[in-house]
Amino acid sequence: GEDDSTCEMVGDFFLAGASEASDNPNLGSGSNRLNATFDNSEWTGTLINEDNTGIANMTFDDESIWTVTDDTVLNNLTLASDANITSDTDVKITIAGSLIIEGKEINNEIKIGNVTFVFDNDALTDVENSGGMMGMPEGMEPPEGMEPPAQN
């Protein structure tokens, strides 16, 4: 059922390095992916993106807060407002795709409190294992208000 309680999470998300092709039909190959939407949630942690080969897309609604604990690399990040993100120490989030804050795409380095956003289209090294696709999977639509990232 629906209620107004907040989901509180503490800990890191881990994206393992890209998988190699295998004869095992239960194992895939290529990059690992995280598509996370935070709705009325509080998360304290970071994304550990092993070898920067995973694709991570995160969206935070206006009732959610991410307290970042360490530097990380994301493909796409959407924040309902700049109040959605905080950190107790200086951290850097490298964006390889797009950063959307309050419905506006940000293209320049920006600092919100202790969180610095920098842009590097080559930050994710997924090209060899996924055929160069660095954005949305084919046929998948981006979240409302978010443009799909440019394909490399």
Side-chain angles (χ1 to χ4, degrees), residues 11-16 32-36 38 43-58 60 66-77 91-95 124:
D12 300 328
F13 285 109
F14 178 77
L15 285 178
N32 293 292
R33 297 183 185 278
L34 171 69
N35 292 311
F38 294 85
W43 173 38
T44 300
T46 195
L47 172 73
I48 300 169
N49 196 341
E50 184 180 60
D51 302 327
N52 291 335
T53 58
I55 302 295
N57 302 301
M58 296 183 165
F60 291 81
W66 178 14
T67 302
V68 186
T69 57
D70 205 351
D71 297 347
T72 192
V73 178
L74 300 175
N75 197 43
N76 301 305
L77 177 62
V91 294
K92 177 174 74 172
I93 297 178
T94 302
I95 302 291
L124 295 174

Side-chain angles (χ1 to χ4, degrees), residues 70-145:
D70 205 351
D71 297 347
T72 192
V73 178
L74 300 175
N75 197 43
N76 301 305
L77 177 62
T78 301
L79 304 172
S81 79
D82 59 6
N84 293 118
I85 196 154
T86 187
S87 182
D88 296 332
T89 60
D90 286 333
V91 294
K92 177 174 74 172
I93 297 178
T94 302
I95 302 291
S98 65
L99 172 63
I100 309 288
I101 301 175
E102 296 179 3
K104 297 176 185 155
E105 186 165 4
I106 309 297
N107 296 308
N108 300 317
E109 183 173 313
I110 184 174
K111 186 167 185 173
I112 299 173
N114 288 331
V115 181
T116 300
F117 294 95
V118 297
F119 296 86
D120 182 355
N121 290 333
D122 297 321
L124 295 174
T125 56
D126 186 49
V127 176
E128 180 180 332
N129 290 302
S130 71
M133 200 272 302
M134 292 289 293
M136 302 294 291
E138 187 175 326
M140 181 180 225
E141 295 296 319
E144 185 177 325

